[in-house]
Amino acid sequence: EDQKEDLGQEVSKKRPRETPNYFVSIPIKDDQILDRIEDVQELIFTKEPDLLRALLPVQTMHLTIIVAHLGTEEEVKKAILALKQSKTKVEAILQGKDLNMTFHGIGQFNNQVIYVKMSEEDQKMLSRIAEAVEECFNEMNLDISGSKDFKPHLTFLKLSKAPRLKRRGFRKICSDLYKEYEDSYFGTEVFSQIDLCAMRKKKQESGYYYCECSINVGSSSTEESKEQ
């Protein structure tokens, strides 16, 4: 038993668990999806104006694949390389076909995070893609220990974004606020891009996160690679 504990300590000495400061994500840009999300956000806001600060801007909509702690420029470079290397694996999974990601219905985690759900079938495919990306990051020995099990979800409201609300006793988001959309179709996004984004750097003018690197995948990217 003691030996086990020693091992545990050694591991933690070698690499303390740092808070993630980067994430790998799939941007969601389809206008229909974004408009629909704005409709839901507006509805929630009219019913509960206090939640304004907890709404996420639609310009930042994305699916997170993994989160990483990159402590040095060197590690950021490695992560960029890992993402570029994952392209081949991802394309092999796609086999030249488009992956249409269908969003339908609203879900929640602990009534504190509200998100648009993705169809089960597309989730399976995306999970394989996420694994491929994860492998590439692990091969580079990067710290992605903060990543949870991959469950593709499109978050548009987060109580943690508005800490003041919590202090005022706002602990749960009632599903009545978005009941009208609970089983709505939001739209379909063709999977075409994976980004490595910084959490703490200043966002781009478009409102999207600061991107260290993007790779294009799927049918639209084959043209590009031919030129290269």
Side-chain angles (χ1 to χ4, degrees):
E1 210 44 62
D2 284 348
Q3 217 171 354
K4 262 191 211 157
E5 274 185 50
D6 287 349
L7 273 174
Q9 280 168 342
E10 255 171 55
V11 171
S12 62
K13 254 184 222 150
K14 185 174 155 244
R15 176 173 279 171
R17 275 190 64 133
E18 304 273 7
T19 338
N21 55 352
Y22 280 84
F23 60 97
V24 176
S25 65
I26 297 168
I28 301 298
K29 306 172 183 168
D30 179 77
D31 284 334
Q32 185 187 352
I33 299 174
L34 300 183
D35 287 347
R36 251 311 163 56
I37 290 176
E38 278 190 324
D39 292 343
V40 184
Q41 289 183 330
E42 237 161 78
L43 177 73
I44 292 173
F45 172 68
T46 38
K47 294 185 183 180
E48 194 58 84
D50 283 348
L51 283 173
L52 181 64
R53 283 175 173 277
L55 298 172
L56 301 173
V58 290
Q59 297 86 327
T60 64
M61 288 297 133
H62 64 277
L63 301 170
T64 305
I65 295 182
I66 47 177
V67 295
H69 174 78
L70 307 174
T72 60
E73 271 308 306
E74 201 45 52
E75 286 184 341
V76 174
K77 282 185 187 136
K78 274 187 178 177
I80 290 172
L81 199 57
L83 183 60
K84 287 182 173 165
Q85 284 174 349
S86 71
K87 184 177 160 96
T88 328
K89 287 187 181 187
V90 173
E91 308 248 290
I93 294 169
L94 291 171
Q95 296 181 332
K97 294 189 196 71
D98 270 339
L99 169 58
N100 295 315
M101 304 183 289
T102 306
F103 291 93
H104 189 283
I106 292 177
Q108 47 80 20
F109 296 130
N110 299 329
N111 290 315
Q112 297 189 350
V113 172
I114 313 294
Y115 61 89
V116 183
K117 293 194 276 199
M118 190 174 169
S119 79
E120 293 285 328
E121 270 311 292
D122 305 339
Q123 282 195 33
K124 284 181 199 146
M125 192 65 156
L126 261 196
S127 295
R128 290 177 57 201
I129 288 166
E131 267 167 37
V133 175
E134 211 167 301
E135 275 168 20
C136 293
F137 271 71
N138 282 327
E139 281 162 15
M140 287 285 184
N141 201 16
L142 293 163
D143 177 7
I144 55 170
S145 58
S147 303
K148 300 184 181 70
D149 285 343
F150 178 65
K151 268 202 199 86
H153 58 281
L154 195 48
T155 303
F156 63 84
L157 192 157
K158 236 190 197 160
L159 262 189
S160 60
K161 264 202 82 200
R164 274 192 214 147
L165 287 179
K166 249 191 171 150
R167 289 201 288 276
R168 293 195 354 229
F170 223 115
R171 304 211 175 275
K172 282 193 153 81
I173 294 156
C174 176
S175 63
D176 288 351
L177 293 175
Y178 51 83
K179 206 164 51 227
E180 291 90 318
Y181 287 96
E182 212 156 13
D183 200 31
S184 280
Y185 170 69
F186 278 75
T188 300
E189 170 93 25
V190 181
F191 169 54
S192 63
Q193 188 179 331
I194 306 178
D195 297 329
L196 172 66
C197 299
M199 293 182 188
R200 304 198 186 118
K201 291 191 179 175
K202 191 175 176 331
K203 290 194 171 76
Q204 302 174 31
E205 269 179 26
S206 65
Y208 190 64
Y209 295 92
Y210 179 91
C211 257
E212 295 287 350
C213 168
S214 290
I215 57 167
N216 289 93
V217 286
S219 54
S220 53
S221 75
T222 41
E223 292 304 306
E224 214 182 10
S225 38
K226 276 181 205 153
E227 286 167 33
Q228 289 168 9

